Amino acid sequence: MDREKSRAVILHFDFSTGASGDKMLGALLEVSEALGLAVWEDMCRVAASLLPGVTVKRTRVSASGIAATQIRVTEEHHAPHRHWSDIRAMIEACPELDETARSGALRAFEAVAHAEATVHDVDVDRVHFHEVGAADSIIDIVCTSFLMARLAQFAQPTQATQFAQPTQPARHTGSAQPARHTQPAQAARHIGRAPLTVYATPLALGNGTVLCAHGELPVPAPATAHLIKGLPVYASVHEGELTTPTGAALARSFVTHWEPLPSVRPLACGYGSGTRTLAGAANIVRVLACECLEEGGARADSGGATTGKADSGGATTGESGPNEATATEALDLALEGCALLETNIDHLSAETLAFVCEELMRAGALDVWQEPIVMKKGRLAVRLSALVAAGEGRTFAQRVMALTGTLGVRQRFVERFVAPREILTLETPYGLVPFKVARFVDPADLGDGDDCDDPDPACDSSADVAETAWLSFSKASTISWLRPEHDIVARIARERDLDYRLVYDKLTTCALKALDRIS
C-alpha cells in the first residue's frame, strides 16, 4: 500500500470483557507484526532496558476458541514498592524509546499517580505503587506506548516517513515539593493529546470484589474508579475485576473517541488474552487497525460552521475564499456515525411535544422530528425521533424519558453524509446578516465541460430568486446552496413590520449580488 496516498489509519479497541495492560499489549503486538511495524524482539529490548533481569514470555493461547497472544512478565526478586518519581526517571532514561513513546508512557503513569494521590490523600511524588508499580504493569504500559508510537507513525506518513530513532533523554529535574493532587509543572510537557485516532467500545468493569494490596475491595478498585471518571463504562455480568488500573490508565491516555467505529476498511486485527477464564466469553481485547473512509475527519454539523474576515466586497468568508479550494478539496462529503433514537408517544399534547423537540435541540441534538403513526388498538400517536452524536445516545435517551415520561427509547446506529458548510455574513439593507452556505456538487456535472448558467444578480422575480438560492450558482464559485436563517428573517420581519417572504427574497438577492462580486 502506498501510505503517502492512502487515507488516515485509525485503531479500534473492543473492551467488551474489560481492559488490562497484558491484553492490550498482546493485541497491539499482533497488529504491529501484521503491519510490519514491530517484532517481538523489539519489545524484549525495551523490557530489558527498563528492568534488567525481568523475564517477558509470549504464549499463543486459545481464549474460548479464539487464538490470542498472552504476555507474562516475571521478576526474579520480590518487587519493591516503586514511587512515581522512580518510575518517571526509569522511563525518561530508557534508551529504546523515542519521544512519542516516552510521552505516552509518562502520560499513562501520571494518570495513575494522580489517581493514587487522590485516593490516599498524599503528594503525587510520594505515591508508591503496589500492583501498578510491579514489573508487569511497567512493561505493559511502556511497551504498549512503544507500539502505539509505531502505529502513530504508520498512521501519519506525512509527518514521519520513517520511525524516529530513540534519543537519550535528559534526567528529570523538578521541584522537590509539587502541589498536592495537581500536575507537576515539570511534567506538563508529557501531558498532551494522543498522536493517533483511537476508537473504543465502553469499558466493561466486572462486578463483585477484587483482592489487592489493601485487602478485598469492591469493583472497580479505588484507583480504577478515579481513572474512569467521565468515560463510558458498565458493570458486565462477569464476576471479578475486568478493567484494571493499568488498563484504565492506558484507555484514558490513548482512546480519543468513545463511540462506534466509522466507515473503515480493516487492515489488520489482533487479539490479546488475559489469564482468567470467563464463563461464556473470551477474556480478550481486540484491536482493529483500519483505513478510515471518512473525508476530512472533522464533524461538519452546524456547530462546526466558521466565520472569518470581511473582504472588500462586504462579505465575511472563511480563511480560504470560495475560489481557493479545488472541487475535491472543498466539496467532499463527510461521513458521520450517529445514533437514531425513537419512541412512540400517545399521551402528550401537540404543545408538549413541540416543547420536547425544542428542548432536545437546545441540548445539542443534530435533528429532531415527529411522525404520525397508528399504534396497537388503533390509537393515533406520534413517533418522536432524535438524531444525536454516536456517543450521546444514552444521555439523550434519559433526557427523552425525563421530558416525555415514555418508558422505552429505541436506539440504532446510522450514518449520514454531510456537506461542508459555513456561515457567510453579508452587508444588507437590514444590516449585517448571517447566511448558511453549503458546498457540494452533482457527480454527473463533473465530466461536463459546459458551465452552469449564472443567475441574474439583479433578478426581481421572487420566484426566480427563491429558485436560484437553492441551486448551484456556478462551477467557478464552489458555493452550491445558500439561504438566510429562518430566525433572522422572522426577527427582521417582525421588527420592521414587513412581509416575511419579501424580507427573505430581498436578502437572497443581496446574497447573489455579493457572491457575484467574490466569485
Side-chain angles (χ1 to χ4, degrees):
M1 177 188 302
D2 187 345
R3 292 293 312 135
E4 295 296 337
K5 296 180 180 179
S6 64
R7 296 173 183 173
V9 171
I10 63 176
L11 296 185
H12 179 268
F13 282 88
D14 188 295
F15 294 134
S16 55
T17 54
S20 62
D22 57 346
K23 293 195 291 185
M24 294 178 69
L25 179 57
L28 285 169
L29 178 60
E30 287 195 0
V31 167
S32 299
E33 288 180 331
L35 296 175
L37 305 178
V39 294
W40 170 245
E41 288 72 20
D42 295 330
M43 261 186 48
C44 292
R45 283 197 301 271
V46 173
S49 65
L50 277 170
L51 295 168
V54 166
T55 301
V56 184
K57 183 179 179 181
R58 171 188 187 171
T59 307
R60 192 69 170 166
V61 300
S62 176
S64 296
I66 305 298
T69 293
Q70 186 177 89
I71 305 294
R72 288 181 177 269
V73 179
T74 55
E75 201 163 7
E76 292 180 358
H77 307 290
H78 178 69
H81 285 169
R82 298 180 173 97
H83 290 77
W84 160 227
S85 54
D86 301 327
I87 294 176
R88 183 174 58 212
M90 182 188 306
I91 294 171
E92 291 190 330
C94 180
E96 296 294 328
L97 302 178
D98 62 21
E99 187 57 34
T100 302
R102 185 175 295 110
S103 295
L106 289 169
R107 184 169 61 245
F109 261 114
E110 186 146 13
V112 179
H114 285 279
E116 294 284 2
T118 300
V119 168
H120 299 295
D121 196 26
V122 298
D123 290 338
V124 171
D125 271 357
R126 294 183 58 195
V127 168
H128 66 271
F129 299 112
H130 297 286
E131 290 83 359
V132 181
D136 57 348
S137 292
I138 294 175
I139 298 301
D140 290 345
I141 289 178
V142 176
C143 288
T144 293
S145 301
F146 170 77
L147 295 178
M148 289 292 287
R150 290 291 179 96
L151 285 160
Q153 292 170 345
F154 174 74
Q156 301 169 359
T158 57
Q159 298 181 19
T161 55
Q162 60 182 5
F163 297 130
Q165 295 299 315
T167 56
Q168 285 287 352
R171 296 287 295 182
H172 174 82
T173 57
S175 171
Q177 297 180 345
R180 178 175 292 186
H181 309 330
T182 59
Q183 174 184 313
Q186 70 272 15
R189 65 186 177 88
H190 302 303
I191 301 301
R193 300 189 64 178
L196 180 64
T197 300
V198 180
Y199 286 76
T201 65
L203 285 165
L205 301 178
N207 63 77
T209 60
V210 60
L211 288 174
C212 61
H214 297 288
E216 187 173 5
L217 296 171
V219 172
T224 305
H226 184 83
L227 287 163
I228 62 174
K229 284 183 179 178
L231 304 184
V233 301
Y234 63 100
S236 176
V237 298
H238 301 290
E239 290 289 330
E241 182 183 53
L242 296 183
T243 293
T244 65
T246 301
L250 288 170
R252 185 173 198 92
S253 298
F254 289 106
V255 174
T256 58
H257 295 71
W258 294 94
E259 57 189 62
L261 193 63
S263 294
V264 297
R265 181 180 292 108
L267 302 175
C269 179
Y271 294 95
S273 174
T275 55
R276 289 178 53 200
T277 299
L278 301 180
N283 184 19
I284 57 175
V285 163
R286 185 191 68 192
V287 177
L288 290 173
C290 308
E291 181 185 8
C292 187
L293 300 183
E294 291 189 2
E295 295 288 350
R299 286 187 56 158
D301 56 30
S302 56
T306 58
T307 58
K309 300 179 180 180
D311 63 12
S312 58
T316 304
T317 64
E319 289 297 325
S320 296
N323 292 323
E324 293 179 19
T326 66
T328 54
E329 291 172 338
L331 306 181
D332 277 340
L333 301 181
L335 182 62
E336 294 181 348
C338 306
L340 177 60
L341 307 180
E342 297 177 341
T343 187
N344 298 344
I345 295 178
D346 63 358
H347 63 285
L348 297 180
S349 67
E351 293 87 354
T352 302
L353 281 170
F355 173 77
V356 170
C357 293
E358 291 174 359
E359 288 300 295
L360 293 176
M361 290 299 294
R362 282 165 52 88
L366 302 175
D367 199 2
V368 181
W369 64 92
Q370 305 175 48
E371 300 170 83
I373 59 173
V374 179
M375 293 177 60
K376 60 191 176 192
K377 300 180 181 179
R379 291 198 300 266
L380 295 177
V382 168
R383 178 188 295 131
L384 176 66
S385 301
L387 191 67
V388 303
E392 298 179 351
R394 181 180 297 273
T395 299
F396 274 91
Q398 293 172 337
R399 184 63 175 152
V400 169
M401 290 180 178
L403 289 168
T404 66
T406 187
L407 301 180
V409 176
R410 300 181 295 277
Q411 173 180 263
R412 67 177 185 268
F413 293 106
V414 299
E415 293 179 330
R416 66 171 186 166
F417 288 102
V418 183
R421 82 281 302 269
E422 62 184 310
I423 298 299
L424 190 68
T425 302
L426 302 174
E427 183 67 49
T428 75
Y430 309 116
L432 290 174
V433 173
F435 291 76
K436 183 180 289 185
V437 175
R439 304 173 186 275
F440 50 85
V441 68
D442 185 348
D445 293 337
L446 292 179
D448 186 357
D450 296 330
D451 289 336
C452 301
D453 293 333
D454 291 331
D456 182 1
C459 179
D460 292 328
S461 167
S462 296
D464 289 344
V465 170
E467 180 73 12
T468 55
W470 292 78
L471 300 178
S472 175
F473 297 134
S474 73
K475 288 185 178 177
S477 119
T478 59
I479 294 175
S480 303
W481 179 92
L482 175 147
R483 72 174 182 182
E485 291 283 12
H486 160 76
D487 291 343
I488 302 297
V489 177
R491 177 178 59 78
I492 293 173
R494 292 191 185 101
E495 290 177 351
R496 301 182 179 236
D497 194 23
L498 297 173
D499 178 74
Y500 177 95
R501 187 65 186 180
L502 176 66
V503 175
Y504 185 95
D505 292 344
K506 194 162 187 176
L507 288 175
T508 304
T509 301
C510 293
L512 294 178
K513 290 180 179 178
L515 290 176
D516 184 61
R517 289 196 300 268
I518 65 177
S519 293

